[in-house]
């Protein structure tokens, strides 16, 4: 159920949905919840195209300045490997 909810939020394609998932991921209390949230984020098929990856990068760059430390940390965790691949 957690993964499906996260996938639905991510399917919106907006920063608000991504922020909600990252905030939840940052405070996941159980290993199962962490695994399901990570799977939804890391295996999202929307981010397999160049255009969608560019959208993700833009959203993550916005979220690294978020007021919530957990959101910032998760955004940086996701953004760093993407930017490293581009070098």
């Amino acid at each position: 159920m957690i993964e499906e909810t996260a996938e639905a939020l991510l399917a919106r394609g907006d920063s608000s949905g991504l922020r909600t998932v990252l905030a939840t991921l940052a405070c996941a209390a159980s290993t199962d919840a962490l695994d399901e949230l990570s799977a939804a984020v890391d295996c999202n098929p929307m981010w397999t195209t160049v255009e969608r990856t560019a959208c993700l990068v833009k959203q993550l760059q916005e979220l690294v300045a978020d007021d919530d430390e957990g959101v910032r940390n998760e955004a940086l965790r996701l953004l760093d490997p993407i930017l490293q691949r581009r070098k």
Side-chain angles (χ1 to χ4, degrees), residues 10-11 13-14 18 21-22 38-57 59-60 78 82 85:
L10 295 172
D14 61 10
L18 178 58
V21 173
L22 295 183
S38 294
V41 172
D42 297 336
C43 302
N44 190 318
M46 288 178 46
W47 300 329
T48 58
T49 68
V50 172
E51 179 180 288
R52 291 302 301 162
T53 299
C55 180
L56 172 63
V57 167
Q59 290 174 353
L60 290 171
L78 292 172
I82 295 169
R85 286 192 302 262

Side-chain angles (χ1 to χ4, degrees), residues 22 25 38 41-42 72-81:
L22 295 183
L25 184 58
S38 294
V41 172
D42 297 336
R72 287 193 310 268
N73 290 341
E74 290 299 323
L76 284 169
R77 181 186 67 81
L78 292 172
L79 186 58
D80 189 52

Side-chain angles (χ1 to χ4, degrees), residues 24-35:
T24 306
L25 184 58
C27 64
S30 73
T31 303
D32 289 340
L34 183 62
D35 288 346

